[in-house]
Amino acid sequence: MFPIHILLGDMNHTKGGLVIFTANSHPSSRELGKRIAERLGVELGKVQVYQEANRETRVQIQESVRGKDVFVIQTVSKDVNTTIMEMLIMVYACRTSCARSITGVLPYFPYSKQCKMRKRGSIVSKLIASMMCKAGLTHLITMDLHQKEIQGFFNIPVDNLRASPFLLQYIQEEIPDYRNAVIVAKSPSSAKRAQSFAERLRLGIAVIHGEAQDAESDQVDGRHSPPTVKTTGAIHPSMEIPLLIPKEKPPITVVGDVGGRIAIIVDDIIDDVDSFVAAAETLKERGAYKIFVMATHGILSSDAPRFIEESAIDEVVVTNTIPHELQKLQCPKIKTVDISMILSEAIRRIHNGESMSYLFRNIGVDD
């Protein structure tokens, strides 16, 4: 990973012709855009984004973007579908206003969990990617995609930045006895992320196995539906297709020692917190005396703040890729790490035509 403090060096040195818009009509969602513009030493572009009485989205750009590099910052609000439409309409407005380039800055890519085929379903994240490209997007900056393969849904350059340097720094600076910690994966599917954190902090790792799995981990390719009616003579009796043995979840076990240790659960998204609460209870039973949850994207929908407040979790640390000020008021356990620095640096480098490789130093294929 890269040392975070170095990024501040030439932050304010950008060429002319840079315009930054925030595409969100919700005031709390514009906070990240203001932080980025402040770090770059520019003013946010003048634009009006609002909803008509009939709920249609209206975008009015109030300054010239002809021949300029436009960066559209969009954070996902509670109404995710409105968020997408605001982004698409603003990108298209910039395209028809003859902007030289249009870069979307979506720290959290919406519908990223719907990136695999389920039976009779669809790969919605590919649809969103196609819509953004069709609207006129020429580049995308995002962070910690739920699946890195989503980058392949776009026919434009995609920079998938990482929040882990900021979360690692938080662990080192805000958890005084972190050397007595163990990094925990709440399911085998998140073991690679946990291993990445553990190796960089020189800590041990534990994996919880046997908890209820996410729906997306079940049969996801849509090719397992048997024919409803057997056609006579269609399949020879000696050529009967063998059926896959159904999965049986084993009893909950913790692979690794957490007794008398600080447990730090890491993941990419915290939305429905039931699985995190269950994992915290399991770790408490196994002897962990303090439990942290760390993730990049804190969606924290529905009653998540209340469940966290009532749980064995001591602290939830997320970044500001998604606004969650209301959730923080409801639950003091929720802490925020600011990632506007790396987004600002990415914008500066793209605008100035500089290499982005510095932002991906020490990041392996599995990170």
Side-chain angles (χ1 to χ4, degrees):
M1 295 296 175
F2 49 88
I4 296 175
H5 62 276
I6 293 180
L7 295 180
L8 292 173
D10 298 322
M11 188 64 73
N12 291 329
H13 295 292
T14 58
K15 298 177 182 177
L18 169 67
V19 181
I20 296 178
F21 291 123
T22 176
N24 208 298
S25 59
H26 198 277
S28 65
S29 300
R30 292 197 291 266
E31 183 60 33
L32 181 61
K34 292 177 182 177
R35 286 174 177 262
I36 291 173
E38 184 179 338
R39 287 185 180 277
L40 290 168
V42 299
E43 297 287 335
L44 282 175
K46 296 176 182 177
V47 63
Q48 277 192 328
V49 183
Y50 58 95
Q51 310 297 316
E52 299 275 16
N54 61 1
R55 303 299 299 163
E56 289 185 358
T57 299
R58 175 81 66 174
V59 173
Q60 293 181 339
I61 297 175
Q62 297 177 321
E63 64 179 87
S64 174
V65 297
R66 182 179 295 273
K68 295 182 179 179
D69 293 331
V70 176
F71 292 82
V72 180
I73 300 170
Q74 181 69 314
T75 52
V76 175
S77 63
K78 190 174 181 180
D79 187 352
V80 63
N81 296 320
T82 298
T83 297
I84 293 170
M85 285 307 300
E86 289 171 344
M87 178 74 177
L88 293 172
I89 294 172
M90 179 167 283
V91 168
Y92 189 66
C94 293
R95 176 187 174 186
T96 54
S97 299
C98 301
R100 185 175 72 171
S101 66
I102 308 167
T103 301
V105 183
L106 280 86
Y108 171 69
F109 186 74
Y111 285 93
S112 60
K113 283 191 172 183
Q114 298 190 45
C115 60
K116 294 182 180 179
M117 175 63 90
R118 297 186 178 91
K119 58 180 180 181
R120 302 181 188 89
S122 61
I123 306 176
V124 182
S125 55
K126 179 173 174 56
L127 172 64
I128 301 298
S130 300
M131 291 167 64
M132 289 182 177
C133 293
K134 191 69 176 177
L137 209 63
T138 59
H139 200 133
L140 177 68
I141 301 172
T142 187
M143 181 167 280
D144 283 336
L145 288 169
H146 186 57
Q147 297 287 340
K148 293 191 292 292
E149 292 76 12
I150 293 175
Q151 295 176 80
F153 296 161
F154 290 85
N155 56 13
I156 58 174
V158 177
D159 287 309
N160 181 28
L161 303 175
R162 304 297 196 276
S164 49
F166 298 89
L167 297 176
L168 290 168
Q169 186 182 54
Y170 185 93
I171 293 172
Q172 292 173 315
E173 295 180 356
E174 302 298 330
I175 305 177
D177 46 351
Y178 81 92
R179 289 292 180 189
N180 187 37
V182 59
I183 305 299
V184 179
K186 70 179 179 69
S187 66
S189 61
S190 56
K192 282 186 178 180
R193 178 180 294 271
Q195 181 182 359
S196 174
F197 273 67
E199 290 177 351
R200 287 180 165 86
L201 293 169
R202 312 295 190 265
L203 299 176
I205 184 173
V207 180
I208 300 175
H209 182 51
E211 84 283 8
Q213 298 180 352
D214 295 331
E216 70 174 4
S217 64
D218 288 329
Q219 298 161 320
V220 294
D221 61 3
R223 296 175 292 181
H224 62 278
S225 301
T228 54
V229 180
K230 284 192 174 183
T231 306
T232 306
I235 301 177
H236 193 275
S238 64
M239 298 175 62
E240 189 71 28
I241 299 173
L243 295 177
L244 187 65
I245 298 173
K247 294 179 181 178
E248 287 188 11
K249 298 179 178 68
I252 292 179
T253 58
V254 178
V255 182
D257 182 22
V258 298
R261 313 281 289 277
I262 298 172
I264 303 175
I265 305 172
V266 297
D267 214 331
D268 63 330
I269 298 172
I270 301 179
D271 187 5
D272 179 8
V273 299
D274 289 348
S275 60
F276 291 95
V277 170
E281 291 174 357
T282 301
L283 293 169
K284 208 75 171 179
E285 292 171 1
R286 300 302 195 278
Y289 74 89
K290 204 166 187 180
I291 299 168
F292 290 79
V293 175
M294 310 198 78
T296 303
H297 309 295
I299 300 176
L300 301 169
S301 54
S302 190
D303 290 327
R306 179 171 62 84
F307 291 146
I308 293 170
E309 187 65 26
E310 297 171 355
S311 73
I313 298 171
D314 292 283
E315 194 168 288
V316 173
V317 183
V318 292
T319 72
N320 56 344
T321 56
I322 298 173
H324 50 264
E325 294 305 314
L326 179 59
Q327 290 90 330
K328 287 177 70 175
L329 293 175
Q330 297 171 336
C331 177
K333 291 182 179 180
I334 300 172
K335 309 297 181 184
T336 306
V337 175
D338 180 25
I339 45 79
S340 62
M341 183 187 300
I342 190 172
L343 294 173
S344 303
E345 178 66 5
I347 290 172
R348 188 191 68 79
R349 285 174 177 268
I350 291 172
H351 175 59
N352 290 342
E354 299 176 21
S355 172
M356 293 285 287
S357 61
Y358 178 82
L359 302 184
F360 295 96
R361 290 199 313 172
N362 301 325
I363 294 177
V365 176
D366 293 329
D367 289 327

